[in-house]
Amino acid sequence: MANTWWELEILCEPALEDSIFWRLEDFGSRGTASESKGNSCLVKAYLPSFQTQLLDLAALSLWLRQDALCVGLSTPSLQWHLIDEEDWATSWKQYWHPQEIGDRFLINPAWLPLPESSDRLVIHLDPGVAFGTGNHATTQLCLESLEMRLSSVPQSFVASGGQSEPLVIADIGCGSGILSIGAVLLGAEKVYAVDTDPLAVQSTFSNRALNDISPERLIPAEGSVDMVKRLVSQPVDGIVCNILAHVIIELVPEMSAIAKPSTWAIFSGILLEQSAAVADALEKNGWVVATLWKRKEWCCLNVRRS
Ligand SMILES: C[S@@+](CC[C@H](N)C(=O)[O-])C[C@H]1O[C@@H](n2cnc3c(N)ncnc32)[C@H](O)[C@@H]1O
């Protein structure tokens, strides 16, 4: 039998878009897209049907109503129907276009030709069912932070295949591998990319191939900080981690085991109102928050060891 997917269509007030997005991500959505519909926003999400029962969708509908009521906004409408895999791939892809991020990056969907005359670092991406198309504010904040962090890596290092200043990075919660690929393009010698979702790891493997990155420079693996600990022989130089705030708070104590006094880290997936709690957890574990960058209601913390 062909694989089928639930296509969810949620019509909401634009102010609810981000909270709906994260609710869907938590619920197991394998692709989310949004578009303006007059004064409203239409969010579409895709879930494999084997993973979700009708009852789950009814529960999701209730959560979305509650989330809206809590912030005094009108309740969103949720509709769902089944589509087959082929339609899913087409529906999802039509919303995704090349996108410039920061001063250096251009994210190019794998199925589109390269835009002409760009001097940007191109990340070719087919996220498949993983998170990380570059559309989300948190991914953008992480890529821009990497750009600032790694702009000092001499490009001669990139060209020479790594003769000077080797830089090893851990990408925790790699999704499509977008941040790992960005780090390699900026000159990192080696990136360990881990994710608890095996489909994300698979997606990072295929995006590594799509970007012609050698297996020695980008090492995807299923797991989390514990897996990086097993893979590395020495602490890493940098950590990038775009996961939800409560997961970051849980993982921070373990991260000390892969850090040294000069290690820096970039954390996102954090709502502005959660930043104090995350900063608190970081400081208790020997990190100092150097900068906080904001986009929409999200923030990104750039930290170093104290
Ligand atoms: C918001 S996505 C980030 C994807 C990509 N790094 C980006 O910036 O667009 C978060 C990813 O973290 C993964 N994840 C969730 N909890 C995790 C954990 N405890 N350890 C490692 N990965 C985790 C999820 O499976 C998901 O792929």
Side-chain angles (χ1 to χ4, degrees), residues 10-301:
I10 302 156
L11 195 63
C12 64
E13 293 198 39
L16 281 174
E17 182 186 346
D18 259 335
S19 70
I20 290 176
F21 186 95
W22 281 101
R23 187 59 97 179
L24 291 165
E25 162 81 0
D26 235 19
F27 195 69
S29 166
R30 300 297 184 175
T32 313
S34 63
E35 61 182 308
S36 291
K37 283 273 175 208
N39 292 331
S40 301
C41 175
L42 178 66
V43 180
K44 289 192 179 193
Y46 299 90
L47 293 128
S49 61
F50 69 83
Q51 170 190 306
T52 315
Q53 308 299 314
L54 270 174
L55 216 70
D56 300 324
L57 293 174
L60 174 68
S61 177
L62 264 177
W63 283 330
L64 295 180
R65 283 171 64 89
Q66 276 170 5
D67 289 345
L69 288 171
C70 282
V71 289
L73 293 171
S74 51
T75 55
S77 76
L78 167 63
Q79 296 188 331
W80 54 76
H81 54 267
L82 281 171
I83 57 173
D84 68 32
E85 181 127 309
E86 213 168 283
D87 290 340
W88 166 72
T90 336
S91 325
W92 163 227
K93 285 176 177 174
Q94 70 179 320
Y95 290 102
W96 202 31
H97 307 291
Q99 187 182 9
E100 292 187 347
I101 296 180
D103 291 331
R104 305 286 308 276
F105 290 114
L106 173 71
I107 314 296
N108 203 56
W111 51 91
L112 293 182
L114 195 61
E116 275 166 33
S117 70
S118 175
D119 53 3
R120 286 175 170 256
L121 300 171
V122 181
I123 301 180
H124 301 277
L125 221 57
D126 188 340
V129 294
F131 183 108
T133 57
N135 272 332
H136 199 263
T138 59
T139 309
Q140 295 170 5
L141 287 166
C142 287
L143 280 174
E144 287 165 9
S145 296
L146 276 172
E147 198 178 299
M148 282 184 273
R149 271 282 168 196
L150 303 188
S151 56
S152 56
V153 177
Q155 287 306 298
S156 57
F157 171 74
V158 184
S160 68
Q163 293 310 304
S164 57
E165 296 287 327
L167 196 68
V168 178
I169 290 176
D171 177 4
I172 318 284
C174 57
S176 63
I178 184 169
L179 303 180
S180 299
I181 295 167
V184 168
L185 294 182
L186 286 167
E189 184 203 31
K190 209 182 257 289
V191 183
Y192 294 93
V194 293
D195 201 296
T196 46
D197 180 350
L199 293 175
V201 179
Q202 223 174 69
S203 168
T204 300
F205 270 114
S206 36
N207 284 316
R208 179 180 76 183
L210 206 57
N211 287 275
D212 219 5
I213 293 173
S214 74
E216 297 77 40
R217 284 189 83 186
L218 173 45
I219 299 128
E222 188 179 333
S224 191
V225 181
D226 53 334
M227 177 50 83
V228 177
K229 231 186 293 176
R230 263 185 270 160
L231 291 172
V232 295
S233 50
Q234 293 175 32
V236 297
D237 300 293
I239 298 172
V240 60
C241 178
N242 180 18
I243 317 185
L244 294 171
H246 69 272
V247 183
I248 295 176
I249 291 172
E250 258 175 50
L251 293 178
V252 160
E254 293 178 48
M255 287 184 188
S256 305
I258 56 166
K260 55 187 171 186
S262 58
T263 301
W264 48 264
I266 296 166
F267 292 100
S268 197
I270 306 163
L271 286 166
L272 277 172
E273 65 261 29
Q274 299 168 325
S275 58
V278 177
D280 197 39
L282 285 164
E283 275 160 23
K284 282 194 180 116
N285 286 277
W287 299 89
V288 178
V289 177
T291 52
L292 180 153
W293 302 101
K294 293 193 283 187
R295 179 149 315 149
K296 296 184 176 174
E297 55 270 77
W298 300 99
C299 68
C300 176
L301 302 178

